Every structure is written in C-alpha cells, then in structure tokens.
C-alpha cells in the first residue's frame, strides 16, 4: 500500500525519508514541488497528485508536508487517515511535531514508523501499544539510559497487540487513581451582515485522561443523551450498549484519549453566545475607510466569554489601519493584511470596541467585499448544547477513583460576514 | 566535535559515551551536524564521498566491543538513511550485529538490513540463519519479528526458505504469527509472482482463520494476490461479516471493500423494488408505513446474507476512523436498497469537520452522490456553505455540491449564498460561483431570467475575471435560447457605453455580432458608436469591432457598408499587426472582388455558422463509473490495480455455496467463546458477544429454513422474478427512447435507472442527452411555464416586445411596495443606470428573489427590514389525501417556509404523493380551484407515478392572509379528488430581520387597535431563551430580533400576501408568568397568532 514516506518542510526540503518496500527515488517529489509552486497558498496543494508511475498523497500539518508514495489503487482516505495518525503519534511522543523535534529524535521516529507499517500496511497504530514497544523520550529516561545502559526499546514484547483490548496496556499501576473528562463543544456558525444566523451547529468531543490501575470497566451516562445526533466512538466503547441504553460503557486506554465526538443536530436552535456590531465602510474615491467593531455577549447563561480573539483578513487595498481598542491590543500585518485583535474577556457593562480608520491605496477603487470577521472565544463551565454528564461508575476494580468533569464551549469556525 | 573524529582507540569509547549523553539530553551537538557542516563547506559534487569519510569512523565503532558504541553507530547510520544518504558500504560491519542481544540495537540492524539487503544480496545471506533460528523461538513475538524481517529482505535466492517459513507460520498457534504470515504472503508475491499457486493455498487456509487479528491482513493478501478468486470467500463470508466489528480499523477498510465487490457478484440487485425488508430495515425515506403492508406480494426478497452484511457494517459508521466511515458509505451506496442509503448521510457530513484532506476526499464523493440522489444531502444543505477560510479546492467542491442540490424549493437560499460568494476576494472562486449560477439557471427554468439579470449586473464589476466569466456564462445562457433574449442583448448594447473593461466590451460586441439579426436596429448603431472610438480601443476590442463589422456587412450591407469600409480602413493602418492581418483577411473574405476566390461565396456560412451551445454540466457527472472512495474516483482516471465493480448478476447465484458444514453450523461461522479460538483472543466483551450469538442463532435458523426450502422455492421464484422483469421492461420501453440505451445494461440495472429517472423528471426537466441538454422537456416544462405565466399577474407576454410593453408594465404594478417601486424606476431602459438592477423582461419571479440578485450589483444598499431565511422549519406534514379515499394515491403536504419562487404573495407548499396502489398513476395534476378566485401556482403535471414510488412537488398558494383552507381538485387520468390545504396562521408569514431600534419604531406605529396582548404561565422548565425561541418559531415562521434584555424576546415577520408587519414580544415576568404582545395591522391574524403562541408557550 504505502511505499515510502517523505517529510517536506515549508521551504521545500525533504528532511526525512522512509521506505517500506523497494526504494523509491526522492526525485518523485519533484511532482509534488511542482504542484506546490502552482498553489498560491500552502493549503491549496491538492492532497492527491498523480505522477507517471506513482501517486502522491499528502497531508499538511504543523507546516510539514507528509508525502506518502503509493503505487496502486488504495482508498485515499486510508492513506490520509494513516498519515494523520502518524502526526498524532509524533505529537504524543515529542510534545510538538516540528522539523526540529523530528530531526532530534530521528531514531525514535524511524523505530515508530517501522512498527506502524509492515510492508506498507498499518500494523500498530494504537498509542498504548506503541508506547509499550518504544518508550517516549524524556530527559530523565535518557539520562538513566546512558548510565545504566538500558535502551529506549521495550524489553517486553507488547502484549496489548495480542489481547482483545488492544488499546489498553497491561500492568498499569498508579498510586493516585483518577479519571478526568473534558466536555468541549465548538460552535461553527456563519452570521450574515444583518446579524441573523445563516448556519450554526455544535460539534462536541469528550476527551478523557484516565489514570486507573488494573483493568477498570467504566460506564458514563448522560442526563440528556437524546441531544447527541450523530456520534463517533473510540474503539473501546461498546456500541450495543449505546444503541440499547444510551450509556457509554468501555474499558479505557491508559492516558489521554478521545472517547467520543458528537454532533448536535442543527435542527435544534443553536444559541449564539456573542453578537457583533460592525460598521466597515470604504468610500469611493477617498483614501480613507471607517472601521468600527463592537462585541457583546448574548445567550451565555450568565457565564463570562473569555479569551476572545478577533481576526479579519482586510482587502488588499488597505495600506494601514489606525484603530483604537477600548480594551486589549490589536495588530495589523501590512503584508498579509491580517488584522487581529486580542481583547480577552468581554465585560457586559462596558462592551469592548475597536474603532478608527483605514488608509487605502490612493487611487485604487473601493474593495468589492467587506472583510469577514473570524471570532474565537472560550466559555468555561458550560456546554452550550446543554449536554450534562449524569454519572460515572467503575466496575472491575476495588479502589475508589477520583473523578472529575469539566465543561467548556469554544468557537469553532465562527464567521461573521460584514 | 571535530575532535571526536581524530580520536582513536580507547578514547573513542569515552567520546561515544559523551556523545550518547549529549544526544539523549537533546542537545544539538550531534555528529550529523558536523556532516552537514561539511556538506555546506564542500561543494555539492563532493557530497558523494562524504559518507565514506564519516563511515570509516562508524565502521570502527561497530566493530568495537562496547555495546553502547555500536548502538551509537547504528543510530547515526539511521540518521544517514533518514536523509537519503547511501550507507550501503557499512553492510558487512552491520550484518555482524544481527544476532546481538540488545533489542534496540537488533531492531536498528533490522531496519538497516531491510533497506540495503536488496543491494548486497550475497552479504545479506549471512543473516538468514539468525532469522531461521528466530522462527523456532518459543516466544511468539520473536517468531513473528523473525518472519517479518526474513520476508522483508528482498533477495530472490531465499524464496524457497520464505515459502517454507510462511507455510509453517500460517499453521502457528499464535494468531499474531499467523497475521505476520499473511503480511509475508504479499511480500513474497511481489518478489516472485510465480509462487502464486502456493500462496493461494496459504491464503485459503488463513481465510478460514477465526481470529480477528488475522482477518484484515489475510484479506489484504487476498486482494493483492488473487482478487479474482471470489470462490475462496464463499465459505468465509458469514464469518467475516460477524468478525468485522472486532477487526482492527485498517483491516475493516480492506474487508469492507472486498465484501462490496463480492456482494455485487453474488446477490440480486435490491434496486428493483423498494419494498419489504426484514425487521432491521431503516425507516424508509419516501415510503409510508401503509406501503410496507401492501408490499408483501413483491417477488424480491433480499438474500439474508446480503442483509447480514448491511446490518453488520452499519455500526461502523460510528467509527472514529474516517476511512472506515467512507468504506461503509460506499458499501451502502453500491449495495443497499435505495431508501436505506440515507443512513450514511449524517456520518459523511460529520467527516466534513475533519482535516482539510479528509474534507477534500469526502466532498468529492458527496459530489458524485448528490448528482444521482439530491434527496440524500438536501437536509444538510447548510453544511456545504462556504467559509472564507476554506482552501480553494474545498470551496469549489462545496460550490459543486450546492449546485447539484439546487432545486425549486431551495434555490432562493442558494442564490442568496452565491451572492455573497460572488463578492469574494478569491477571484478564482468568484468566477466558479458565476459558472455555478449559470448551471442553476439552466437546471431550474424558473430562475433562468433572474440569474441572467443578476449576471448582467455583474458585467459592471471592476474585476476582469468576474466580468469575463459573467460574459461567458451569459453567452452560454443566451446561446441556448437566443430568441427570447433579444432584450438582454439590447441591454448589453446599452452597457457598452459605460463598461470599460476591454474583455467585457469585446464579449458584448461578439454577442451583438452573433445575434445581429435579432437586434437589427441596434447593431448598426453600436457599430457606428464603436467606429468613432475605434482608435482608442484596446486591441481585443478592435478585433471584435472588425468581427461585428464583417457580420453586419453580410447581413445588412445597405446600412453598414460605409461604416465597415471606414473601420477596415482604420484597421489597415493600425499599429498592431494582428489587427492589420485580421483587417486584410476580413476584407478579402467579405468584399467581393475579382481576386477573391471561392471563399467569399461562403463568407456568410463561415462567419455566421451556428455555434453549438456550450454544455453546462457537473464535472462529477461521469465519475460514478468508479467505485466510490477509491483513488480512481478521486483522480477520475483508472489507477493501476483498480478492480472494477461488476454489475449485479441477472440470476441469483447459488446461495448455498456460503453454507458451511451442516453438522456444526454455529461453530463454523459464529465462533463461540474459547472453543474454536486460541485462548488469548477470546472475545472480551462477553455481553456483546452473547447478543451477537443470539442474533446469529436466529439468523442461522432462518437461513437454515431458507436453505431447506430454497430448493423447492428457488425455481419458481426465479421464474416469477424473470417474468416480472419482463413486464417491467416492456412498460419502461413504452416510455421513451432514451431508456433503451439504459436497458442495454442488465435488467436490474435498467430498472433502477428508470426508477431514479422518473424521480428526477418530476422534480425538474431532465436533459435528455448531451447535445440537446438545454431543450427543456417538452411536456412538463411547457406545462409549468404556461401555468406560471397565467398565474402571474404581470402581463409577461406583452412586454417581451419592447419598450411599449415596459411602460405598460409600469402601470400594471401599482400595488408594489418599496422594493418593487425601485424596480419600476429601474425598468426604464432609457434612464439606464449601470450600477443598479434593471429588468429588461418581466419575469415570473418574486421580487424577493430578484432582490437577492440585485445584491450582485454591489451597490450595498440594504433595507433595514429584509426578508430572511426561516429560523426553523418544522418537519410536520399534514395529510392531504388518504390512500383509501385516493384509490391508492396518498398525498400529504408540508410548509417548507421558503419564499415562493412563483409569486411573493404565495406561500409555498410541498406536496408528497405516494402511489400505494397496484397501478401506476398517470397524469397527476391540479385541476380547478374551488373558489375560482383562489390564485395558486400549479405544479408541473406528473406524467407517471409507479406503484410504491413517491414524488415531491412544490406549489404556491396565495391564502390572502387568511387561514381559510385552499381547496382544489387533484386530477389523475381517471379520477378527480377534491382536497384542501389548511394553513396554520404561523405559516402565512415570511420571517424578517430588523434591529431592535427598528422593532421599537415599528411597534410604536402599531398600537391601540393593532395591539393584542395576554398573559400566560410558561411551563417552568422552559423559561430559557433558547426554548422560548424554539417554541415561537415552531408555531410561526418568524425571524428572531436581537434583544438587549435577557427577559424579553422579540420576533418579527411579514404576512405573505399583504406584507403587513407582524411583531411578537414575549416578556418574562417573575414566577414563570409572561406577557405576550402581538402588534399587527391585520388584527384577525394578530389574535389568532396570540392564541397559538399562548398554547405553545404554556405547554411543557
């Protein structure tokens, strides 16, 4: 399936290559570079590129292209999904997935890639199994290794791969047993210029951090499971239980993992927690434009809207801006024309605003379109859909674990058209 | 670190140690750095010799006794390999360490071996004995890893050894080793294809394996080695279906893809009749419950194995792995009965939240699906709206899907979106949007004129791409029906005075030239004007002026002879040689003289040849020849190794081949715990296992019955189905010729096509073939246009003949409100103002739609109160005609809350007809309305509705702002039924958006008589803003007005017919009391709304 993998950085250098079958010359990447040149933005490089003898399937993450070379028919999503899994694994191991981190840990990277694919077919992609095979590099461990002469590679062969719960490693032991669940919801919305919602939906995930000894069997139930319109599970969740009782029953992997992602149907009305008042005008023939933006909270159920960040790609004709924020700071990049305003928390008594003028290129005509405004924000301790976890129970082990649940609402792709 | 290189012997050990520490502490002092530095200092050419210098050093380290030194050396070698440097000269030194005890060192040596063994075959043989020893190790994982490396060394000499090892490993007790053996099969096959026969034996054996670990890998091997040996699957089919849920995710993808192909060869097509399925079938999409009862007589019964596959793959739609979800989706698309395919929709839409690359592939597949089946994705229309942050190829794909999904009901929403896109800063995307508008215009007759007018406005855009694209699209639209649009050409001629973009000027001139006979008065005048400015024009415009002159000279030489000569003279002395050339050519061609040969006789035929109308169609139209989700589908060319999906068999293949040994059927394909499987791979989730077993048991008993009775039944059943096919065939043949082309496919396939085609024709006229793409289907569309014309009050016939009609129209629209007034003034072509909207031809379209496209003009004038899209559309439908009283024809209606595209005063109503009877219903249409004054827009007559199929049509009714039922006759060929549509008061509104200030202002005007209020006790749990809003918009189609107070909620709407404002306020008081306030001129409506709201709010 996957013949070779090339990692290409943003300046177009191949800094790592790995082959699982016969070696494919790195000149095959020339086709990729050609496509890269044609694309105006890094994101515009097509994910699938045919070449005379091979097909290149690439993903772009953290400004690194992961280019897989394949030779014959294979579902493209199969390769794409695998490449993303590789990136996730790197991130898990090294904390960040950057060119420097990969180069520094090239041996671990090679060992990982060797275990993840056999003859181009995925072998072990579960992080729990991989961690048993190859220990993640930490400073402490490397110091210990050099002194004692032990190695990064697990002496024990992975048992998880053989068990029926391949996602959980065996022999887990903790002194403090704890299980944390984060319910994080993101609102995707498009708001039109009159302030009415064109489309809005809620995407949620439950991320878990479970550090429990032994083989615990957990069940998690919701107050209002009917809210969940469409769900996708970690393989550990028993689907039948969910179908029948709407209860999540599972043996968790050890450590961090994503238990569930869900979608709250757009049929239900989505509460929009902020509103934006804007007045952005360009006048024909004048080299000045007015810019006014005010944000305010709406339907937040009394919670504060925090970490608000407003981004807007201004038209090309804008030379510079002269704005006055009532709170926070703003930056404007005259090259990319990106305006971003970091305003922190919204105070309902004194609404934050950003007002001032834009100077336009002299003689240029007025831009066709007003810029769209992208908003990011966070609301702690609230799931905007109203989803509530009812209880978490543990079976199979004797001790009493510490349990915690946190709710958060964030803006996903939240756009306001002006 | 250069010092490190000069040190030798014992000291090297210490340095290596230090280096190891530095490395592990993640400092950047690394040996590789020095290499890189050297590369930097040396020239490119000498990089080749570089490794050899460093490699001596490495060789020494590898040969030392210190394990840590060896390890360090190997790590550096891996570093070299990762950067693509050649390290093959170290092979002898490395291979010695193959038997080392240190696991990490050993692994790195393996990595090295696999990479370089192919180049150093003789030396590689030295390592073989180590692996052979490893194959006998008591530890299963060492056995597996030995086999893995042994099979990865691509040395042809060891093929027999590999073959032996694979055979042995395939019989290993450990499933993990057997899995490795399955992987090794593919490796050996690629090394030596002659081993195929032996390998197939191994595959056959491994396919029988009951471990979930092995299943994925062996199916992968099967796909690579012998995908055509479908007979190997028979006995394992049921087992694979049952194991599927527990197989690891990558294996699932491979198995699902293989089973898709398998099922297409082994089962009958479920697409013939959408009827009768077993207990697990999903809620059907079109069919109502009653239908199912009647369907018992149908001959098609789905093979239980077919059903088993569908049932067992469905839970995998919930997988977190996008590839699995896609695989299941394509399985349903290719295998499931038509109405069940819808279960995949939600999951596919969910994938759109994933990474950019995933979106790209999923959108491509949705695009293909949405061409054939709009209904699947229509409810999720808004998920395909474009965000400004999307990558360009994502945007274009979304646009493609939106265009595919466009129909009469949602076109206004889509066009409003397009209006935003057209203004996008991404001009390539804006251009694609214009093309999309063009496609919508050809597909939906009702909006053709609106789109055309909107596009004409875009001609005044500053951006050349936009203008060029609009001109091209207008040109295409005009080419399809030039006769009706002479006024647009006239209008464009007017535009010529103000437009400066050369590309647009040139295009307009081409159009006038092409259709100069349709505008005989204007064309010469245009030529006169351009002749004056000829010298100041751009080259591209000059060429078109020459063209125009030539064409006019040929058609109207009396008026234009002198002008043409003048222009030709100007061209003769132009600075640009292209223009001089063209002038010379044109002169020779059109002006007859003694020298001009035979060619000038044909001048007219050369210049005025009828140009074929360009085809506007989806680029995804023919992609369905590839299996969805495949690489070939993405690339739209056959990728190497693509396996064709076969057509359904005509006659059901023997289903007993899948039966396993009779005496222990349960054991064979329902592995029971601990018995048939190695202890380690016991099912962990015993609860699910039990359930599964129960299912299996029931399944097995039913299938056993089937198989026992199948012998007697199968013969008769086959006959029956054949005869049925025959009769159906004949009926379809009678329909039209086009279907005969379809029928060359298998009968089942053909029937499916005809089914879906019927569905489509009813929704919109379907283009017959490429050539005649734009000829609307005679019967249906003419019907619709004629009745729409009759129903629209504006006299659309009279104004088509010029300005006289236009004046008349000005008079005939006295009841228009603000918007229409604006239009009226704009209608005056003499006072033409290029920036704002103009309507050269009265259209049957609503002003609201027109105003949608007016926005295209970029004038940026927005009214404070504008009609917005509905906040919420309830899915409740009401019965119009029961199947008993309708003699098999059932009908229900619901309010889609979309602005009616036929007339703004009408409320659009969607009717769904279902034929529950035995006979096809023919010629279904609306007859007389019972108060004859009732104005309603009839839907296009439905020619034929097959039994058990249903169809959705939309019509518009002007309720005249009352809740009085609209009654009319529903006619079929034989019968007439009188039916009535009863609107709730809330459906008579169009939601509007306004600011809070405007709301107060309007409310202030509507006090006293026009205000009605009441208090209501709101159910305690529903005092939140969200729930109140939901309740209100559920009852009435109102827009939400942003409110600054949290306890006051405001809603606004207009009545559809008289456009009176309706304002509603819900003010929450303490103790769950609330004050309800409705302000409107229409007091009757107001009090009815008040009553409805009160009931809704007081309910829990």
């Amino acid at each position: 399936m996957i013949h070779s993998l090339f990692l290409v950085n943003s300046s177009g250098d191949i800094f790592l290559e790995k082959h699982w079958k016969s070696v494919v010359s790195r000149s095959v990447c020339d086709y990729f570079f050609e496509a890269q040149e044609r694309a105006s933005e890094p994101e515009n490089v097509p994910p699938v590129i045919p070449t005379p003898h091979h097909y290149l399937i690439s993903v772009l993450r953290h400004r690194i292209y992961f280019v897989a070379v394949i030779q014959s028919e294979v579902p493209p999503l199969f390769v794409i999904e695998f490449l993303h899994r590789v990136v996730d694994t790197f991130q898990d191991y090294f904390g960040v997935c950057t060119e420097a981190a990969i180069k520094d840990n090239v041996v671990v990277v090679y060992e990982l890639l060797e275990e993840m694919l056999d003859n181009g077919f995925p072998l072990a992609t579960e992080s729990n199994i991989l961690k048993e095979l190859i220990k993640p590099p930490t400073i402490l461990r490397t110091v210990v290794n050099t002194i004692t002469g032990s190695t990064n590679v697990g002496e024990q062969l992975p048992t998880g791969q053989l068990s029926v719960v391949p996602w959980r490693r065996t022999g887990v032991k903790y002194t403090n047993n704890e299980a944390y669940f984060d319910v994080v919801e993101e609102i995707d919305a498009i708001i039109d210029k009159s302030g009415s919602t064109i489309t809005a939906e809620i995407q949620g995930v439950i991320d878990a951090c479970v550090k429990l000894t032994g083989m615990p069997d957990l069940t998690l139930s919701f107050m209002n499971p009917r809210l969940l319109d469409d769900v996708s599970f970690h393989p550990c969740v028993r689907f039948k239980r969910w179908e029948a009782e709407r209860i999540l029953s599972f043996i968790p992997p050890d450590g961090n993992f994503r238990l569930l992602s869900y979608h709250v149907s757009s049929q239900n009305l989505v509460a929009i927690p902020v509103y934006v008042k804007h007045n952005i005008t360009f006048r024909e023939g004048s080299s000045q434009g007015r810019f006014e933006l005010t944000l305010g909270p709406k339907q937040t159920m009394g919670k504060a809207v925090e970490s608000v960040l407003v981004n807007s790609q201004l038209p090309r004709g804008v030379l510079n801006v002269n704005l006055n924020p009532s709170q926070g700071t703003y930056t404007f990049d005259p090259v990319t024309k990106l305006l971003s305003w970091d305003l922190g928390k919204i105070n309902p008594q004194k609404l934050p605003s950003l007002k001032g003028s834009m100077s336009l290129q002299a003689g240029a005509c007025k831009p066709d379109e007003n810029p769209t405004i992208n908003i990011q924000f966070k609301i702690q301790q609230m799931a905007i859909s109203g989803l509530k976890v009812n209880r978490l129970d543990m079976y199979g082990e004797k001790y009493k674990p510490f349990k915690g649940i946190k709710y958060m609402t964030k803006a996903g792709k939240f756009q306001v058209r002006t | 670190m250069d010092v490190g290189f000069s040190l030798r012997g014992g000291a090297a050990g210490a340095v290596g140690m230090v280096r190891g520490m530095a490395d592990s502490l993640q400092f950047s002092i690394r040996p590789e750095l020095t290499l890189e530095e050297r590369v930097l200092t040396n020239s490119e050419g000498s990089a080749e010799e570089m490794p050899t210098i460093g490699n001596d050093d490495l060789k020494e380290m590898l040969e030392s006794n210190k394990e840590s030194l060896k390890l360090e050396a190997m790590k550096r070698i891996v570093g070299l390999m990762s950067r693509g440097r050649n390290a093959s000269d170290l092979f002898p030194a490395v291979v010695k360490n193959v038997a080392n005890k240190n696991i990490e060192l050993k692994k790195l040596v393996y990595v090295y071996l696999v990479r370089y063994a192919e180049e150093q075959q003789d030396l590689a043989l030295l390592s073989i004995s180590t692996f052979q020893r490893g194959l006998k190790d008591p530890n299963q994982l060492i056995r597996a890893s030995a086999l893995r490396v042994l099979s990865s060394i691509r040395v042809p000499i060891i093929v027999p050894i590999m073959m032996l090892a694979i055979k042995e490993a395939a019989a290993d007790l450990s499933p993990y080793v057997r899995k490795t053996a399955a992987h090794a099969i593919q490796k050996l096959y690629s090394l030596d294809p002659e081993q195929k026969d032996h390998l197939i034996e191994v595959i056959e054996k491994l396919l029988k394996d009951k471990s979930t670990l092995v299943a994925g890998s062996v199916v992968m091997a099967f796909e690579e080695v012998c995908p055509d040996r479908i007979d190997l699957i028979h006995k394992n089919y049921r087992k694979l279906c049952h194991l599927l849920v527990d197989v690891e995710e990558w294996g699932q993808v491979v198995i699902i893809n293989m089973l898709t192909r398998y099922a297409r060869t082994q089962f009958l097509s479920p697409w013939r009749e959408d009827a009768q399925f077993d207990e697990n079938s999903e809620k059907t999409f079109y069919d109502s419950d009653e239908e199912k009862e009647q369907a018992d007589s149908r001959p098609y019964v789905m093979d239980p194995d077919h059903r088993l596959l569908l049932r067992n793959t469905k839970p995998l739609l919930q997988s977190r792995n996008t590839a699995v979800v896609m695989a299941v989706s394509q399985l349903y698309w290719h295998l499931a009965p038509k109405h069940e395919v819808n279960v995949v929709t939600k999951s596919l839409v969910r994938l759109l939240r994933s990474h950019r690359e995933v979106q790209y592939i999923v959108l491509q597949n949705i695009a293909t699906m949405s061409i054939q089946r709009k209904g699947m994705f229509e409810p999720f229309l808004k998920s395909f709206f474009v965000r400004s942050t999307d990558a360009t190829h994502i945007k274009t794909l979304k646009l493609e899907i939106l265009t595919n999904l466009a129909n009469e009901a949602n076109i206004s929403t889509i066009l409003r979106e397009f209006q935003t896109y057209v203004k996008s800063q991404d001009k390539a995307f804006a251009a694609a949007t214009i093309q999309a508008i063009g496609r919508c215009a050809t597909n939906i007759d009702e909006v053709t004129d609106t789109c055309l007018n909107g596009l004409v406005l875009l001609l005044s855009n500053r951006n050349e791409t936009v203008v060029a694209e609009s001109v091209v699209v207008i040109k295409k639209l005009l080419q399809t029906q030039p006769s009706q649009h002479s006024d647009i050409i006239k209008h464009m001629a007017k535009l010529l005075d103000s437009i400066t973009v050369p590309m647009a000027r040139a295009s307009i001139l081409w159009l006038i030239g092409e259709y100069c006979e349709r505008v005989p008065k204007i064309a010469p005048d245009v030529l006169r004007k351009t002749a004056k400015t000829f010298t100041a024009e751009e080259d591209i415009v000059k060429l078109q002026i020459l063209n125009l002159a030539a064409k006019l000279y040929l058609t109207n030489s009396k008026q234009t002879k002198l002008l043409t000569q003048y222009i030709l003279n100007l061209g003769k002395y132009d600075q640009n040689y292209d223009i001089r050339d063209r002038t010379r050519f044109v002169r020779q061609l059109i002006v007859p003289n003694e020298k001009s040969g035979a060619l000038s006789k044909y001048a007219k035929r050369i210049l005025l040849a009828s140009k074929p109308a360009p085809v506007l169609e989806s680029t995804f139209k023919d992609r369905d020849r590839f299996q969805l989700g495949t690489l070939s589908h993405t690339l739209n060319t056959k990728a190497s190794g693509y396996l064709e999906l076969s057509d359904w068999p005509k006659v059901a293949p023997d289903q007993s081949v899948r039966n396993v040994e009779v005496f222990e059927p349960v054991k064979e394909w329902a592995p029971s715990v601990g018995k048939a499987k190695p202890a380690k791979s016991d099912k962990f989730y015993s609860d699910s296992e039990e359930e599964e077993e129960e299912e299996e048991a029931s399944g097995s008993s039913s299938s056993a019955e089937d198989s026992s009775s199948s012998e007697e039944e199968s013969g008769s059943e086959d006959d029956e189905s054949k005869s049925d096919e025959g009769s159906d065939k004949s009926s379809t043949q009678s329909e039209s010729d086009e279907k005969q082309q379809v029928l060359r496919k298998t009968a089942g396939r053909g029937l499916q096509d005809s089914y879906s085609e019927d569905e489509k024709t009813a929704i919109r006229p379907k283009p017959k073939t490429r050539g005649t793409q734009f000829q609307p289907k005679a019967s249906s569309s003419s019907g619709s246009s004629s009745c729409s014309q009759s129903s629209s009050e504006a006299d659309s016939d009279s104004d088509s003949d010029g300005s006289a009609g236009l004046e008349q129209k000005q008079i005939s629209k006295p009841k228009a409100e603000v918007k229409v007034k604006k239009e009226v003034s704009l209608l005056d072509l003499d006072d033409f103002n290029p920036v704002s909207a103009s309507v050269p031809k009265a259209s049957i379209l609503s002003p609201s739609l027109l105003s949608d496209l007016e926005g295209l003009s970029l004038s940026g004038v927005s009214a404070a109160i504008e009609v917005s899209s509905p906040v919420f559309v309830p899915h409740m439908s009401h019965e119009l005609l029961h199947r008993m009283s309708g003699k098999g024809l059932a009908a229900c209606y619901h309010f889609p809350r979309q602005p009616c595209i036929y007339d703004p005063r009408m409320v659009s109503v969607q009717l769904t007809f279902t034929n529950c009877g035995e006979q096809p219903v023919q010629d279904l249409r609306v007859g007389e309305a019972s108060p004859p004054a009732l104005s309603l827009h009839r839907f296009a007559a439905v020619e034929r509705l097959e039994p058990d199929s249903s169809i959705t049509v939309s019509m518009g009714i002007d309720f005249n702002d009352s809740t009085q039922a609209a009654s009319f006759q529903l006619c079929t060929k034989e019968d007439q039924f009188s039916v009535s549509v009863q609107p709730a008061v809330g459906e008579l509104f169009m939601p509007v958006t306004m600011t809070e200030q405007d709301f107060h202002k309007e409310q202030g005007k509507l006090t006293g008589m026009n205000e009605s209020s009441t208090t209501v006790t709101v159910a305690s749990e529903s005092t939140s803003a969200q729930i109140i809003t939901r309740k209100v918009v559920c009852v009435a189609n109102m827009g939400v007005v942003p409110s600054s107070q949290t306890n006051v909620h405001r809603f606004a709407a207009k009545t559809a017919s008289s456009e009176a404002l309706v304002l509603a306020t819900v003010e929450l008081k303490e103790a769950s009391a609330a004050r309800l306030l409705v302000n409107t001129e229409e007091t009757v409506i107001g009090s009815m709304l008040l009553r409805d709201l009160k009931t809704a709010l007081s309910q829990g």
Side-chain angles (χ1 to χ4, degrees), chain A residues 37-95:
Chain A
E37 245 166 63
R38 265 199 304 271
S40 50
E41 303 273 326
E43 289 86 37
N44 287 352
V45 178
V48 183
I49 302 167
T51 76
H53 300 290
H54 300 94
Y55 304 96
L56 305 178
I57 298 186
S58 62
V59 305
L60 172 68
R61 294 266 302 261
H62 308 285
R63 299 170 65 218
I64 301 173
Y65 291 101
F66 292 74
V67 186
V69 182
I70 55 170
Q71 211 154 26
S72 60
E73 174 65 52
V74 57
L77 267 188
F78 187 95
V79 181
I80 289 170
E81 177 78 23
F82 176 77
L83 292 176
H84 282 298
R85 214 55 84 76
V86 169
V87 183
D88 293 341
T89 311
F90 286 174
Q91 216 166 0
D92 195 20
Y93 264 71
F94 314 131

Side-chain angles (χ1 to χ4, degrees), chain B residues 844-888:
Chain B
I844 51 166
L845 278 149
S846 66
S848 77
L849 241 182
L850 277 176
S851 70
D852 278 354
L853 280 157
E854 260 166 43
L856 292 174
S857 68
L858 313 177
S859 56
V861 189
S862 64
I865 301 166
E866 48 189 28
V867 174
S868 64
S869 50
V871 185
F872 174 78
V873 181
H875 282 280
M876 196 169 57
S877 66
H878 316 271
E879 185 163 82
L880 186 67
L881 181 64
H882 190 261
R883 72 190 159 91
M884 296 310 285
S885 45
K887 300 183 186 164

Side-chain angles (χ1 to χ4, degrees), chain B residues 562-764:
Chain B
L562 281 172
L563 270 174
T564 308
Q565 258 164 16
Y566 173 68
I567 287 167
L568 287 177
N569 283 334
L570 284 177
K572 193 173 172 186
Y573 299 107
D574 199 272
Q575 286 184 328
N576 186 303
Y577 52 79
D578 271 345
I579 292 167
R580 293 199 299 274
D581 274 356
R582 178 71 64 91
T583 313
R584 211 169 301 138
F585 163 72
V586 167
R587 192 189 290 275
Q588 290 299 319
L589 193 61
I590 60 172
V591 184
N593 57 9
E594 67 281 2
K595 266 195 285 177
S596 70
L599 214 53
S600 64
K601 268 189 281 179
Y602 300 107
K604 194 162 185 175
R605 276 165 72 181
I606 291 170
L607 283 173
L608 289 171
S610 70
K611 280 88 179 167
V615 184
L616 299 171
E617 65 180 6
S618 168
T619 47
F620 283 82
K621 202 161 180 186
D622 53 348
R623 286 225 182 163
D624 55 344
R625 65 201 155 111
F626 295 112
Q627 189 177 351
L628 288 185
T630 59
L631 185 63
S632 307
H633 176 267
T634 297
L635 297 170
N636 202 14
T637 51
K638 205 165 170 176
S640 68
Y642 174 72
L643 297 166
E644 208 71 60
L645 202 60
S646 68
D647 277 338
W648 296 101
K650 281 179 196 158
V651 183
D654 185 10
Q655 21 176 300
S656 63
V657 289
R658 285 184 292 278
N659 290 351
V660 270
E661 289 87 285
V662 199
F663 34 89
E664 43 171 22
V666 178
K667 189 195 161 199
E668 199 47 33
W669 47 272
S672 54
V673 183
K675 193 178 169 191
K677 285 200 279 182
K680 274 248 168 184
S681 59
D682 277 356
K683 284 270 175 47
F684 185 80
Y685 288 151
S686 52
D687 54 349
S688 68
E689 170 76 4
E690 270 161 29
E691 281 173 51
E692 223 165 67
E693 265 190 293
E694 276 167 31
E695 269 182 32
E696 280 155 13
S698 64
S700 76
S701 63
S702 70
S703 79
E705 278 166 31
D706 274 358
S707 62
S708 64
S709 60
S710 68
E711 244 95 320
E712 306 121 38
E713 265 182 7
S714 63
S716 62
E717 210 171 79
D718 275 1
D719 283 358
E720 220 173 68
S721 64
K722 263 183 222 156
S723 69
D724 196 64
E725 271 170 33
S727 69
D728 269 316
K729 232 185 217 173
S730 65
S731 68
T732 43
Q733 267 171 348
S734 67
E735 282 198 29
S736 63
D737 296 350
E738 51 173 312
K739 274 169 202 157
Q740 286 210 316
Q741 299 170 343
V742 184
L743 278 172
R744 74 188 148 73
K745 299 179 185 171
T746 63
R749 192 55 190 265
L751 283 164
Q752 168 256 321
D753 280 7
S754 73
Y755 168 75
S756 61
E757 205 140 85
D758 280 353
E759 205 173 84
K760 281 179 202 154
T761 45
I763 297 166
R764 66 188 167 89

